[in-house]
Structure formats: C-alpha cells, structure tokens
C-alpha cells in the first residue's frame, strides 16, 4: 500500500497544517455519526435484544436473561435453518464457481461477439431480487410457464411445491443473477495474468487445456478466494429472493437463517429469539470471512505480480 | 480482502500484440465459447418471455403457447399498472435513492479524504477507518431488528426517512474504502502545492480531489444507487402504508394481489426495471465498473 510515511516537509508552516490531521478530522464526523447510529449501535443492540423477550409491538422490553437463547438453541428449527443455509451456500458455490471461471476466461478473450454478449449477460444483475423472483415464480408454473412452452415433460414439474426442487430453484435463481457478477471479477483476474507465462508454456509445448490448469487456474487463486468469500458470506443473507420465491416453503424446506429470523421476529413477534438468530448470523459471517482469508495465506497485494 | 487492486503486470505494457494473440478465439477455449452461448440462452429466454408476456392480454396468456409472441400486442397491462399508483411508488423510490446515496457519497468522500490526508498523524482517523473496514462485514439483515426499534423510538416508522437513514449508513463503509483507494492515487505534490497556495483542506477537497476522483465518485454512486433502488428488506420492515411503498415492495404486493393476472405482473416488472435499463444503455461501462467497485479497478 502506498500510505506515504510523513515525508520530510519542505517548510514548517506548522500551525495551519499541523500535519494535516487537526484540520481534516472534522470531515470524518458525518460519516462516523451516520454509521455509528445505524450500523454500530444496532450491532450492539442485536446482542442486547437477544437477552430480552420484546414482542416488537409494545413499548416495554422485558429483560429475560438467557430465555431466548435457550428456546432458540433447543428448537429443532435452528439446526434445520443452518442446514438449509449451508446447502444453499455450498451448492450455489459449486454451481457458480466453475461456470463463472469459464465465462470469465471466455469474456477476457477478444472476439467479435464479445461486446454483444456482454451487454446481455449483465442485465440480470440490474434487476431487483423481488422482480427476478416474481418472474421465476410465473415462469416455472407447470401449466403456463416455460415447461409448457417448450413442451418438455421434465420442465413441467411443481417446482416450488416440492422441497428439494424448491431448493434447487433457489440455487438456480441465485446463480442466474450472480454468475455475471463473478464472471466479471474473473474476467479482471484473467486479464492480469502476464502473457509471458503463456508464451513460455507454449514453447514448452503445453496444450490449451494444460495451460488452463497449470497457469490460468493457479494464477486465479486470489481471485477465486475473493469471489468465493463474496459468494459464501453473501449467501448467508439471502432473504428477498427466498421470501418472494417461496416464503421459506414448502413447509420449511427453504427456511434459511435470514428467513427464519424474519419469521420469528416480524411474523411471530418473538424479537428475542429472532435477535439470537441474528447474532448467530453475524458470527457465521465473521467465521467464514476469516476462514477464507486464512485460506488465502499471504496478503493479496503481492499476489499477481509477474513471476510470483 | 476487498482492495485487490494491483498495478497491471509489466508484461501487459511491454507486449500488447502478444497479449492479444494469447486470446485468439480460433485456437482458444471451445468449452468457454460453448458455455458462453449456452449462458446467453439461459439469460435471454426469461427476459424475452417477460417482454412478450407483458404485451399479451390475460385471456391470451392462458390460451397461447407461453413462448409464442403475442398475436396482437397490447399496452393494456402497462396502462393498468400505471393506474395502480406505480407513479407514486416510482417517485418514492427516486426520493429514497437520491436522499440516501447523495449524502452517503458526500460523507464517504469527506471521510476518505480526511483519512488519506490526516490518517498518518491521527489515531482518531485511523480508528474511524478501521471501524468502517469492520463495518463491511456487518450484514444489514442481521441488524434489522435494532434498526426497527431505533426507527420506532425516533418516531420515523412508516416514513420514507426510515428507509433513507439506514440505507445511507450502510452505503458508507464500501464507499469510503473505494474512494480512499482513488484519493490515495492523487500525487502528494499536488496536495503540497495546493497548501503552498494557501488553500484550505475544504478547498483542496473540492478543487483538487473532487475533479481527480470524479470517475470513482460516479462509480460509487451508481453502485450504491442500484443497491438502494433494488432494496427490499428495509421498506418491508420499516414501512406499512401503501403511500410509502418503494418499487420492489410495490411489485411484491402487486403480485400478491393480482397473482392470476401474470401479464400485468410482468408489465410491472418491466416498468420497475426500465429506468435502470435505460441507464445501462446510456452508460454501460460506468455501470459495470460500478458493480465491481472495490473488487477491481
């Protein structure tokens, strides 16, 4: 990084500059205050609320110690929600990563159709998850949707009425929206790989596939970690999409953590247990982010240097 | 993790023609090409279906092949949607987006400037910056319950302001990070010469840092604008009355109400996406670089 050390100052007009700090500090205050009020205070607040039995409807917030935690931790709904969250996370990672890498490499290349393709590819990213989910809900209708249109038997299923299928639909819709984003990240990563590496490989007689596995993939290591971190941590908080698509159903088949939290808090008026789940959500996110970071090993800043 | 910016490797500048040859499509990546075209189909079919269906009459929708274009296209659905208060929801979305992203980017720009200029000598500023970095890891959904409580306590429940304030706050961490990375690239000598000329820090912010980081400011504004425009959780939880709905929430309510009138529902989808798609056509490059803001430059 390039934070210059306090370089030798040419002249000492001390009072006015005072190292620049005294006179600029105030500029950080508006951002600090806004973020403290609606970011940091709530972060502490969610922990505090997890020790209460607030209903969300009343003025008083009764302090009830560990009751909420006890009820959440003994509820079989929690392991189920964790399992659903994990499934969505793992399967959507497995689906998105290879396709995004493939598309990223493809997009990094120069060819005639690239511009046209790129325009269409990124449209899903621009739509709200509510809009996308509403569309897919109608599109997957067994009688009037895509299946009927193409006349394909296997597409004419009750996609959102079956637990396993509904989970698959959630993963598919997530991928449909986010694969373009991750291919964009991979495209950037591929473009940073030095051409000289491929030339050397070519001289050594390595084929295209060999080059992909021996150069492209290892060189993308840090891009893969960045993209995976975003995918995995992001998937913890999928809410809009699941809520509009299935509302956690059928039954509780797609009731992931964030959906579980919303239903307990804002539908069943149990803000205490809902807050406990929110705390678990924060902890999972932190653990995953730190874990993936450790996986990355050394600092990323020096990762893509030539010959590294 | 997030600031993965590295300078392009030297080889890129040294040998541009070779770099191009590396990506010759004729010898490169049949599999990638196949995936590329296949994915195009997966993206385009639903989009095509949304548009043709939104132009069909409800009776046609149930009678014709879903993928066949409408026999006689109609704008009836769009008229129906516009008459269902969508103009009001559109205005609400504009107010919320402008009202939160404008101040958020301004505050973030000031904070990023303060950190780059004074961070080396001020523990306070370094601490604030550390706080924002940590803030990147806080998911909005996880703190929605205390936000709801705060909004009730300050008597803002069911107002557009209730959506604006948390949106503003959660736009700050990433914006500070990205803008900081760009202000850091401004040569130190320029700041020095501004100071020699007797400019205040406030003056330097606007006359030096602002013009030089304008592309980054546009990028950050676009990214945050898109996030707020498409936001669903905050309006869902912090508002109640139909007059305060923003577009994504209105969409959801609309499809709940008219779930049998699929063409009208899809017309509402098209209408809510239209402003963003227009922007996309006008400034594709800016928009895409905005989407990956902070992950690549």
């Amino acid at each position: 990084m390039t934070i210059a050390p306090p370089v030798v100052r040419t002249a000492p007009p001390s009072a006015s500059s005072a190292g620049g700090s005294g006179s600029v500090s105030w500029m950080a205050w508006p951002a600090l205050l806004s973020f403290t009020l609606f970011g940091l205070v709530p972060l502490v607040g969610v922990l505090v609320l997890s020790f209460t039995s607030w209903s969300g409807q009343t003025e008083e917030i009764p302090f009830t110690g560990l009751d909420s935690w006890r009820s959440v931790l003994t509820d079989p709904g929690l392991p189920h929600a964790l399992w659903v969250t994990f499934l969505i996370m793992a399967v959507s990672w497995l689906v998105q990563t290879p396709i995004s890498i493939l598309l990223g490499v493809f997009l990094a290349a120069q060819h005639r159709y690239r511009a046209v393709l790129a325009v269409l590819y990124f449209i899903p990213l621009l739509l709200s998850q509510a809009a996308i989910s509403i569309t897919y809900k109608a599109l997957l209708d067994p009688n009037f949707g895509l299946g009927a249109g193409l006349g394909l038997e296997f597409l004419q299923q009750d996609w959102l009425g079956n637990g396993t299928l509904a989970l698959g639909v959630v993963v598919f819709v997530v991928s449909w929206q986010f694969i373009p984003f991750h291919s964009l990240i991979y495209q950037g990563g591929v473009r940073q790989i030095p051409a000289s590496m491929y030339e050397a490989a070519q001289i050594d007689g390595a084929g295209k596939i060999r080059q992909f596995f021996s150069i492209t993939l290892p060189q993308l290591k840090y891009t893969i970690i960045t993209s995976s971190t975003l995918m995995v941590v992001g998937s913890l908080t999928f809410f809009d999409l699941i809520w509009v698509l299935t509302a956690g159903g059928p039954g509780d088949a797609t009731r992931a953590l964030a959906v579980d939290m919303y239903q307990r808090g804002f539908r069943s008026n149990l803000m205490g247990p809902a807050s406990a789940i929110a705390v678990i959500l924060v902890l999972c996110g932190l653990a995953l982010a730190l874990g993936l970071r450790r996986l990355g090993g050394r600092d990323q800043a020096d990762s893509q240097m030539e010959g590294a | 993790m997030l600031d993965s910016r590295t300078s392009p490797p030297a080889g890129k500048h040294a040998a541009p023609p070779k770099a191009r040859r590396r990506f010759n499509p004729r010898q490169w990546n049949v599999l990638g090409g196949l995936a590329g075209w296949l994915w195009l189909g997966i993206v385009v079919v639903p989009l095509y279906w949304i548009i043709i269906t939104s132009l069909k009459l409800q009776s046609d929708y149930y009678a014709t092949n879903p993928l066949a274009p409408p026999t006689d296209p109609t704008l009836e659905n769009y008229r129906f949607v516009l008459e269902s208060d969508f103009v009001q929801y559109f205005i609400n979305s504009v107010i919320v987006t402008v009202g939160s992203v404008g101040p958020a980017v301004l505050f973030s720009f000031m904070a990023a400037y303060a950190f780059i200029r004074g961070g080396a000598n001020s523990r306070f500023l370094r601490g604030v910056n550390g706080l924002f970095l940590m803030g990147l890891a806080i998911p909005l959904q996880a703190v929605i319950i205390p936000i709801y409580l705060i909004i009730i306590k300050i008597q803002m429940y069911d107002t557009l302001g209730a959506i604006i304030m948390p949106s503003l706050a959660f736009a700050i961490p990433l914006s500070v990070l990205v803008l900081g990375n760009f202000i850091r690239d401004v040569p130190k000598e320029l700041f020095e010469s501004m100071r020699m000329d007797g400019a205040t820090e406030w003056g330097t912010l606007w006359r030096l840092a602002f013009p030089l980081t304008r592309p980054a400011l546009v990028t950050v504004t676009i990214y945050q604008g898109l996030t707020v425009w498409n936001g669903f959780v905050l309006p869902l939880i912090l508002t109640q009355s139909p007059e305060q709905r923003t577009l994504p929430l209105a969409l959801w309510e609309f499809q709940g109400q008219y779930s049998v009138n699929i063409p009208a529902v899809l017309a509402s989808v098209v209408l809510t996406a239209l402003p963003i798609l227009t922007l996309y056509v006008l400034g594709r490059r800016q928009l895409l670089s905005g989407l990956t803001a902070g992950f690549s430059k």
Side-chain angles (χ1 to χ4, degrees):
Chain A
M1 295 274 92
T2 50
I3 310 171
V7 202
V8 201
R9 294 194 179 273
T10 42
S14 51
S16 71
S17 79
S21 68
S23 51
V24 289
S25 289
W26 69 270
M27 287 194 205
W29 278 104
L32 179 62
L33 286 180
S34 333
F35 188 68
T36 304
L37 185 56
F38 287 100
L40 298 176
V41 171
L43 190 62
V44 178
V46 75
L47 187 63
V48 174
L49 283 174
S50 73
F51 296 105
T52 69
S53 61
W54 185 39
S55 70
Q57 311 289 311
T58 50
E59 274 291 307
E60 92 270 29
I61 302 175
F63 183 81
T64 49
L66 288 170
D67 282 6
S68 300
W69 282 97
R70 215 168 283 137
S71 82
V72 163
L73 292 175
T74 53
D75 185 341
L78 179 68
H80 175 76
L82 280 168
W83 172 240
V84 169
T85 309
F86 171 76
L87 266 183
I88 293 175
M89 182 189 295
V91 178
S92 62
W93 184 85
L94 279 173
V95 171
Q96 289 184 82
T97 304
I99 300 180
S100 302
I101 294 179
L102 217 55
L103 288 178
V105 172
F106 173 65
L107 285 174
Q110 317 257 348
H111 46 76
R112 251 175 305 168
Y113 312 107
R114 203 178 65 83
V116 187
L117 288 180
V119 170
L120 294 166
Y121 271 159
F122 300 113
I123 291 178
L125 265 180
L126 309 174
L127 307 176
S128 69
Q129 296 201 342
I132 293 176
S133 306
I134 286 169
T135 302
Y136 270 99
K137 236 171 129 169
L139 190 58
L140 292 172
D141 186 290
N143 299 315
F144 305 105
L146 187 65
L150 294 171
L152 293 174
E153 199 69 42
F154 80 96
L155 277 173
Q156 287 171 277
Q157 307 201 42
D158 189 7
W159 288 103
L160 298 171
N162 169 307
T164 317
L165 288 180
L167 261 180
V169 171
V170 169
V171 169
F172 176 79
V173 177
V174 165
S175 310
W176 190 78
Q177 181 171 30
F178 289 111
I179 281 181
F181 174 75
H182 294 283
S183 355
L184 208 59
I185 297 181
Y186 283 115
Q187 177 196 326
V190 170
R191 289 214 168 135
Q192 290 197 336
I193 302 173
S196 55
M197 288 188 148
Y198 291 95
E199 283 152 19
Q202 223 152 20
I203 291 166
D204 291 346
K208 289 293 162 196
I209 292 176
R210 181 68 201 276
Q211 285 182 24
F212 176 77
F213 284 104
S214 304
I215 299 174
T216 311
L217 219 47
Q219 284 290 307
L220 285 178
K221 181 181 170 195
Y222 295 97
T223 316
I224 293 175
I225 290 170
T226 304
S227 152
S228 301
T229 307
L230 292 171
M231 271 183 206
V232 164
V233 177
S235 68
L236 277 180
T237 53
F238 286 148
F239 172 80
D240 314 9
L241 199 141
I242 301 180
W243 184 248
V244 176
L245 205 54
T246 66
D252 58 0
T254 53
R255 194 165 158 156
L257 273 180
V259 178
D260 195 26
M261 181 200 82
Y262 177 77
Q263 288 198 318
R264 283 179 206 245
F266 294 93
R267 295 285 152 140
S268 315
N269 299 324
L270 298 168
M271 291 295 184
S275 300
I277 291 179
V279 173
I280 295 173
L281 209 57
V282 172
L283 293 178
C284 288
L286 277 181
L288 284 167
L290 290 178
L292 279 162
R293 189 162 216 194
R294 177 157 290 187
L295 206 69
R298 67 208 161 120
D299 189 73
Q300 205 185 28
D302 53 41
S303 67
Q304 284 145 334
M305 292 313 209
E306 188 153 12
Chain B
M1 166 184 77
L2 289 169
D3 58 343
S4 61
R5 313 186 302 107
T6 49
S7 47
K12 200 169 169 185
H13 296 298
K18 283 174 189 164
R20 188 159 297 143
R21 195 181 56 202
R22 181 176 103 220
F23 291 127
N24 189 331
R26 272 178 294 276
Q27 54 171 350
W28 176 253
N29 201 357
V30 180
L31 200 59
L34 205 65
W37 288 101
L38 199 67
W39 190 256
L40 186 70
I42 293 177
V43 168
V44 166
V45 168
L47 298 177
Y48 162 80
W49 178 79
I50 296 175
I51 292 168
I52 57 154
T53 310
S54 73
L55 298 171
K56 286 180 182 174
L57 284 172
Q58 195 181 351
S59 51
D60 267 8
Y61 171 72
Y62 289 110
T64 59
N65 184 302
L67 288 175
T71 41
D72 57 321
T74 170
L75 290 174
E76 186 57 28
N77 301 309
Y78 288 92
R79 195 183 57 79
F80 177 64
V81 172
L82 286 174
E83 279 170 4
S84 312
D85 284 337
F86 263 67
V87 176
Q88 175 68 49
Y89 307 144
F90 177 83
I91 295 170
N92 287 349
S93 273
V94 171
I95 294 173
V96 166
T97 306
V98 173
S100 59
V101 175
V105 173
L106 175 67
F107 293 174
S108 306
F109 183 50
M110 286 161 60
Y113 178 89
F115 173 65
I116 299 301
R117 290 290 289 146
N121 299 313
S122 159
R123 280 176 78 180
F124 167 73
L125 286 172
R126 281 200 301 275
V128 171
N129 199 55
L131 217 63
F132 289 146
L133 282 180
M134 193 197 79
L136 282 171
I138 305 177
L140 175 61
Q141 280 89 342
V143 292
I144 195 74
I145 295 169
I147 288 178
Y148 172 68
L149 177 60
I150 293 171
I151 292 291
I152 291 175
K153 288 283 179 207
I154 59 175
Q155 317 229 316
M156 298 277 291
Y157 182 71
D158 202 22
T159 63
L160 292 180
I163 311 172
I164 290 177
M165 289 188 298
S167 306
L168 192 168
F170 273 81
I172 287 175
L174 185 64
S175 307
V176 171
L177 177 76
V178 174
L179 293 175
N181 283 340
F182 278 83
I183 299 174
R184 191 174 286 138
D185 290 347
V186 177
K188 294 278 174 295
E189 298 76 37
L190 292 180
F191 284 112
E192 265 317 287
S193 64
M194 285 294 283
R195 198 169 56 78
M196 296 293 208
D197 292 348
T200 58
E201 290 290 355
W202 185 243
T204 311
L205 173 78
W206 288 110
R207 297 215 306 276
L208 177 67
F210 179 72
L212 288 179
T213 46
R214 191 174 293 161
L217 284 164
V218 172
T219 294
V220 167
T221 306
I222 288 171
Y223 176 82
Q224 303 294 4
L226 200 59
T227 309
V228 176
W229 182 268
N230 286 337
F232 179 75
V233 181
L234 288 173
L236 174 70
I237 286 174
L238 303 175
T239 66
Q240 192 173 34
S241 50
E243 301 83 63
Q244 311 294 345
R245 274 176 206 159
T246 56
L247 285 172
L249 189 65
L251 261 185
W252 182 59
E253 299 277 0
F254 189 77
Q255 70 98 41
Q257 203 174 345
Y258 299 101
S259 54
V260 286
N261 193 352
I262 300 290
V265 169
L266 293 174
S268 72
V269 167
V270 173
L271 280 179
T272 59
L274 215 52
I276 297 170
L277 291 178
T278 313
L279 279 179
Y280 182 60
V281 172
L282 293 178
R284 193 170 69 82
R285 250 161 229 292
Q286 286 288 355
L287 200 68
L288 287 184
S289 65
L291 288 169
T292 46
F295 315 116
S296 59
K297 184 166 140 186

